[in-house]
Amino acid sequence: FPPPVGISTSVSRPDKTDSIASRCIGRNESYCQYFLSVSSNFCSIVAKIVQFFEKIGCFVRKSIYICSMILHANCKINLGLDILRRREDGFHDLETVMIPVSGLYDIVEVERVESTSFFEQRGLVVDCDAEQNLCMKALRLMQRLYGVGEVRITLDKRVPFGAGLGGGSSDATSVILAINELFELGLSEDRLVEIAAMIGSDTAFFVRNTPQLCTGRGEKMEPINLPLQGYYIAIAKPEEGVSTKEAYAGVRPAVPQ
């Protein structure tokens, strides 16, 4: 019932609400301090875990390396070939435009191994000793120059040889490029061109593998822009073949008039 008129409704008594609020505030402060303490410890633990995995990740990144590469060693064609003169070193000065042919290629696999390096081949049979194959010559060159380790080279030969298509040169360049990656040598393109040129006259071309005007004995290259869109090429290889050495031995060099 409502209080009588004129009688005050205020009653002087201890304010329980204030007491309860004080206790709650005290408890909340304790909870907050506890929560902050737990959170701080938790964050510290998380930070340590993150640091641990960062160290593990760094170790793994340093320990893991590429152990195998498979490359498509495409062939090339020459658009014109002028053999200018015979050089004192036995090679010839020439002038030619080399064009890569992407649709015809050998498959070269290079894999790091702990044992002695070895070479195996399938596909078209190249009748020569393994150490005489340009792939192995490229490997031995890289081992002499940079002391790289042992690898297994597997060649699936598809490009006809004895046809001037540069299949062997492309295979050798693929080995050089693969070793550069597998052993993290970080060689520049110019240096790779220099190394490839030590193997053969057209080997350096496959480092760039784009249309090039080639001079010298073939290792000096200048990019050339040829509008070949809409053109097609058909490559036919008869049963007969002519080695590069035989071909150059039978020519009479002359500067075109």
Side-chain angles (χ1 to χ4, degrees):
F1 295 92
V5 177
I7 298 177
S8 174
T9 57
S10 61
V11 180
S12 178
R13 62 177 182 272
D15 194 339
K16 293 183 179 180
T17 303
D18 292 341
S19 176
I20 293 172
S22 298
R23 290 198 300 272
C24 288
I25 291 173
R27 290 174 183 172
N28 288 339
E29 288 179 349
S30 298
Y31 289 148
C32 287
Q33 291 175 356
Y34 175 75
F35 177 76
L36 290 174
S37 175
V38 171
S39 299
S40 177
N41 292 335
F42 177 76
C43 290
S44 176
I45 293 171
V46 170
K48 290 180 180 179
I49 293 174
V50 170
Q51 291 175 358
F52 172 77
F53 280 104
E54 284 180 346
K55 290 180 179 179
I56 291 295
C58 181
F59 173 76
V60 170
R61 285 193 298 272
K62 290 180 179 179
S63 299
I64 292 179
Y65 52 81
I66 301 173
C67 62
S68 177
M69 290 189 70
I70 298 176
L71 298 91
H72 286 182
N74 61 271
C75 65
K76 56 85 179 171
I77 60 169
N78 296 70
L79 295 184
L81 172 60
D82 290 327
I83 302 173
L84 307 179
R85 63 190 65 86
R86 191 183 303 274
R87 297 158 39 134
E88 293 182 359
D89 60 6
F91 289 96
H92 293 79
D93 282 327
L94 53 85
E95 189 174 67
T96 183
V97 173
M98 294 188 190
I99 306 291
V101 179
S102 60
L104 180 58
Y105 54 84
D106 296 336
I107 299 178
V108 181
E109 181 177 3
V110 183
E111 180 182 4
R112 293 180 64 155
V113 295
E114 297 297 330
S115 57
T116 304
S117 294
F118 62 98
F119 173 81
E120 58 183 353
Q121 180 187 316
R122 49 180 177 262
L124 297 176
V125 178
V126 180
D127 188 16
C128 74
D129 183 71
E131 286 294 329
Q132 295 303 312
N133 189 282
L134 291 181
C135 289
M136 289 301 290
K137 288 186 176 181
L139 168 62
R140 299 309 182 199
L141 176 61
M142 295 297 282
Q143 288 177 330
R144 290 197 302 272
L145 293 175
Y146 298 102
V148 298
E150 307 298 330
V151 299
R152 174 177 63 85
I153 301 174
T154 303
L155 172 62
D156 184 357
K157 188 67 178 172
R158 303 178 177 189
V159 177
F161 47 89
L165 296 172
S169 297
S170 184
D171 298 339
T173 301
S174 294
V175 172
I176 292 172
L177 297 176
I179 289 176
N180 181 50
E181 294 296 328
L182 292 175
F183 293 93
E184 300 179 339
L185 300 179
L187 302 176
S188 67
E189 181 183 274
D190 289 344
R191 180 55 179 158
L192 290 169
V193 167
E194 291 176 0
I195 296 169
M198 299 177 190
I199 301 293
S201 296
D202 57 359
T203 316
F205 164 77
F206 293 101
V207 174
R208 295 182 178 173
N209 213 23
T210 57
Q212 302 285 323
L213 173 61
C214 303
T215 56
R217 58 184 178 86
E219 84 287 5
K220 297 178 181 178
M221 296 179 290
E222 180 181 344
I224 185 171
N225 184 23
L226 293 177
L228 299 177
Q229 292 79 5
Y231 289 89
Y232 298 87
I233 182 172
I235 297 176
K237 168 64 171 63
E239 292 296 327
E240 294 77 12
V242 179
S243 71
T244 301
K245 184 177 180 180
E246 288 180 298
Y248 277 98
V251 301
R252 289 186 292 178
V255 177
Q257 300 298 321

